[in-house]
């Protein structure tokens, strides 16, 4: 079964990286890149996702970008509720729900990020935390994707074991039978095949490793093989 790769550059990258991606991933299947918003408009040969949008559809919000603007330039996906947005920009579950609904209304697939902190993981509260996040973040309409990203695994080089990931994904699958389920958090060339070795893990969301063309190309080859 072919899996998906979503590359999240965060606040990194350059025109040069964009050009490298255009050469490497032109017409690639099951691949989405989420560069910083400033690069979205000149990368039309790539399947694009945004990293964030505003929770209102328009108005006096200096510096922000609306969902309809993304749709206007052909963006088809958007990360919503990434833990860095929650942590550094105080994004709430209610805002994440509003953003996700707006995406779906504009034919953009929201990739909703959920995940527990280290303290919650160590206290064995992962499923409890996810349950609350799902209850409060999910829009009424279907068509969203979910990325399970343990906060403590993001950018740290640490990951849950494949078995732990599979058991979380089995829980998510039980609740969301037809939703695409991704895993994110320190995915690299070494761990990607183990993480994807379960039918409930349908793809990976990749941060750090997506900044190195050879690494993300390798991960994509594993995902679609
Ligand atoms: P990472 O980031 O791969 O650098 O851990 C993943 C993410 O934040 O989506």
């Amino acid at each position: 079964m072919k899996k998906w790769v979503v590359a999240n550059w965060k606040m990194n990258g350059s025109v040069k990286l964009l050009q490298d991606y255009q050469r490497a991933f032109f017409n690639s299947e099951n691949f989405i890149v989420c560069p910083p918003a400033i690069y979205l408009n000149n990368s039309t040969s790539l399947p694009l996702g945004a990293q964030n949008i505003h929770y209102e559809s328009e108005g006096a919000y200096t510096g922000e970008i609306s969902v309809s603007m993304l749709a206007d330039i052909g963006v088809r996906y958007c990360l919503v509720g990434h833990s860095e947005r929650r942590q550094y920009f105080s994004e709430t579950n209610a805002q994440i729900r509003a953003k996700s609904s707006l995406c779906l209304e504009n034919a953009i697939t929201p990739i909703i990020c959920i995940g527990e902190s280290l303290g919650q993981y160590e206290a064995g509260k992962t499923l409890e935390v996810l349950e609350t996040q799902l209850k409060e973040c999910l829009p009424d309409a279907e068509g969203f994707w979910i990325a399970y990203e343990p906060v403590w695994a993001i950018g740290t080089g640490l990951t849950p074991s494949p078995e732990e990931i599979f058991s979380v994904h089995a829980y998510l699958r039980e609740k969301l039978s037809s939703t695409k389920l991704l895993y994110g958090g320190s995915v690299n060339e070494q761990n990607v095949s183990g993480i994807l070795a379960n039918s409930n893990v349908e793809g990976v969301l990749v941060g750090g490793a997506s900044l190195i063309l050879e690494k993300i190309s390798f991960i994509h080859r594993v995902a679609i093989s």
Side-chain angles (χ1 to χ4, degrees):
M1 176 180 149
K2 294 199 176 183
K3 311 274 173 131
W4 282 80
V5 173
V6 181
N8 174 16
W9 289 5
K10 313 192 181 190
M11 198 173 72
N12 300 295
S14 60
V15 169
K16 162 86 171 58
L17 185 61
L18 202 57
Q19 289 165 344
D20 289 346
Y21 259 60
Q22 273 165 342
R23 271 189 296 275
F25 296 112
F26 179 70
N27 270 345
S28 282
E29 54 184 341
N30 290 22
F31 187 83
I32 299 164
V33 57
C34 304
I38 194 166
Y39 296 130
L40 286 170
N41 207 15
N42 52 3
S43 41
T44 45
S45 62
L46 290 166
L48 292 171
Q51 296 178 11
N52 181 42
I53 31 87
H54 198 267
Y55 54 82
E56 294 288 351
S57 54
E58 62 185 354
Y61 299 102
T62 301
E64 293 292 317
I65 290 172
S66 75
V67 184
S68 59
M69 292 169 194
L70 292 185
D72 216 14
I73 60 164
V75 173
R76 302 207 347 255
Y77 300 88
C78 183
L79 301 179
V80 179
H82 189 281
S83 73
E84 287 150 15
R85 304 274 337 152
R86 296 174 188 258
Q87 185 181 347
Y88 301 125
F89 302 95
S90 308
E91 211 163 90
T92 64
N93 287 345
Q95 289 170 347
I96 291 161
R97 186 166 192 272
K99 290 179 182 204
S100 303
S101 301
L102 268 181
C103 281
L104 291 167
E105 283 162 25
N106 284 274
I108 288 177
T109 302
I111 303 174
I112 304 170
C113 304
I114 57 173
E116 80 286 1
S117 68
L118 183 58
Q120 291 163 336
Y121 169 76
E122 286 174 346
K125 295 207 164 129
T126 299
L127 296 188
E128 208 178 299
V129 171
L130 297 184
E131 172 135 20
T132 305
Q133 290 178 339
L134 291 177
K135 202 162 116 221
E136 297 180 3
C137 296
L138 295 194
D140 292 332
E142 300 210 352
F144 54 87
W145 294 8
I146 293 286
Y148 167 53
E149 296 209 299
V151 179
W152 54 273
I154 295 176
T156 58
L158 303 171
T159 58
S161 67
E163 291 68 31
E164 287 175 305
I165 296 172
F166 302 160
S167 88
V168 168
H169 277 241
Y171 162 83
L172 294 172
R173 174 60 66 227
E174 212 179 284
K175 299 203 149 261
L176 302 161
S177 56
S178 58
T179 299
K180 198 164 290 300
L181 301 176
L182 312 180
Y183 168 80
S186 294
V187 174
N188 59 35
E189 317 91 284
Q190 283 77 44
N191 60 24
V192 62
S193 54
I195 289 170
L196 287 175
N198 180 282
S199 60
N200 286 329
V201 185
E202 297 173 275
V204 283
L205 178 49
V206 186
S210 74
L211 300 176
I212 316 269
L213 196 65
E214 295 70 35
K215 293 190 180 186
I216 192 70
S217 302
F218 182 92
I219 290 169
H220 182 244
R221 277 199 300 279
V222 171
I224 59 167
S225 64

